[in-house]
Amino acid sequence: MTQPTIPANFSDASSPQDNAWNHLLALETQVQTTQTSLTLHITELAGLRQTTDTISHSLQMLLERLSPTPVITPTPPTPPETNPAPCFNVSAAPHTKIPHSALPDTYDGDWAGGEHFLQSCVTYIQLSGEAFASDALKISWVLSYMNFINWEAFETDFQAEFFSLDPAKTAALSLHNPNQYGQEKQSLEDYINSFCALAEQAGYLDGLQLCLTFHEGLHPTLMECINNLVEGHPNNSIATWYKVACDQWQLMELKHEL
């Protein structure tokens, strides 16, 4: 914008005309500042739009990768036309499309219908070609046809099918089997946490038997260190054993004996 020309008879004395020119110059400066700021904002908006377009394109590509690959049935090639022999009237055989297997019925957990439900699922998956590209997709699809009333019912059925029939007995056997349970390369904190969980599941009460079981599973070096204590040897309280074991473990770490 071109600045207005100041009259030749402009003098240093302040007058209403001088104030008007000064006000006009201030407005012009403000307009130029506003235009510069607006240009910067437009540039920033253009950059944000480009960034948004890039992110949108990346998300679209990701969705295309995650989406299951559509099954494309190849079209058989059309046989070349041939002239029929004069003495025969050959008609083309009708093309028969193989029907797809019916979807399985919803399974309600009744053992009598379990075999039929599983066979229906297997048949549908086999006839679907490459629609089920992974085992995870097959499992999630089959689960969608299994009818559970609520989460509690599902949890109960899952525990009945996959959990131990006698959890207390299983926990007790694990605690007393050195080949299955022990501190070994675990940290002492992890060993104590897992020991507490198994002891509670096995129904063990605090006492000598529980302390001996804890002692048998300790790291061999830590076990020897506790056995050689002259003072402060733990009594028949499991809490005391936990404390003494932690104290000795820290001392061993400081001495780099582990």
Side-chain angles (χ1 to χ4, degrees):
M1 179 180 295
T2 305
Q3 295 184 356
T5 304
I6 301 176
N9 57 354
F10 177 81
S11 62
D12 295 336
S14 177
S15 65
Q17 186 176 3
D18 296 336
N19 294 334
W21 281 109
N22 291 334
H23 185 65
L24 183 59
L25 289 174
L27 287 176
E28 181 180 7
T29 302
Q30 185 176 0
V31 169
Q32 291 178 351
T33 303
T34 304
Q35 288 180 341
T36 303
S37 177
L38 182 59
T39 303
L40 291 176
H41 286 306
I42 292 176
T43 303
E44 292 177 357
L45 288 175
L48 289 175
R49 181 175 182 181
Q50 183 178 2
T51 303
T52 304
D53 293 340
T54 302
I55 295 174
S56 178
H57 179 68
S58 300
L59 289 176
Q60 183 64 30
M61 293 180 62
L62 181 60
L63 288 174
E64 292 177 358
R65 292 180 182 178
L66 294 177
S67 300
T69 306
V71 180
I72 302 176
T73 305
T75 304
T78 304
E81 296 182 359
T82 57
N83 294 326
C87 56
F88 295 96
N89 184 13
V90 181
S91 59
H95 176 70
T96 304
K97 183 178 180 181
I98 300 177
H100 202 288
S101 175
L103 291 170
D105 295 329
T106 301
Y107 181 57
D108 58 0
D110 185 6
W111 65 269
E115 183 177 357
H116 174 72
F117 171 75
L118 180 60
Q119 188 59 45
S120 299
C121 294
V122 172
T123 302
Y124 189 90
I125 291 174
Q126 290 177 345
L127 294 179
S128 298
E130 298 180 355
F132 296 91
S134 64
D135 290 342
L137 185 59
K138 296 175 184 177
I139 294 173
S140 60
W141 179 78
V142 172
L143 286 176
S144 66
Y145 283 91
M146 300 183 71
N147 183 23
F148 295 97
I149 300 175
N150 49 41
W151 171 255
E152 287 75 14
F154 172 78
E155 189 175 11
T156 301
D157 292 345
F158 187 89
Q159 292 176 354
E161 184 67 25
F162 299 105
F163 280 27
S164 173
L165 297 179
D166 192 348
K169 182 179 179 180
T170 302
L173 291 175
S174 298
L175 285 173
H176 290 282
N177 189 341
N179 296 325
Q180 293 184 359
Y181 185 75
Q183 181 182 355
E184 298 181 353
K185 296 183 180 180
Q186 298 183 79
S187 67
L188 181 61
E189 182 180 358
D190 291 340
Y191 171 65
I192 292 177
N193 290 335
S194 58
F195 179 83
C196 289
L198 284 175
E200 182 179 359
Q201 192 173 20
Y204 280 1
L205 300 177
D206 191 6
L208 178 61
Q209 181 62 40
L210 184 61
C211 296
L212 291 176
T213 304
F214 176 75
H215 173 265
E216 292 173 358
L218 289 173
H219 190 282
T221 306
L222 178 59
M223 183 189 303
E224 182 180 1
C225 183
I226 296 178
N227 292 340
N228 294 334
L229 286 176
V230 178
E231 296 181 356
H233 196 280
N235 53 25
N236 295 338
S237 170
I238 192 62
T240 306
W241 273 90
Y242 291 160
K243 184 180 184 307
V244 173
C246 289
D247 293 342
Q248 296 302 315
W249 185 262
Q250 292 177 358
L251 290 175
M252 292 169 60
E253 288 182 332
L254 293 175
K255 296 178 181 180
H256 304 287
E257 296 182 359
L258 297 176

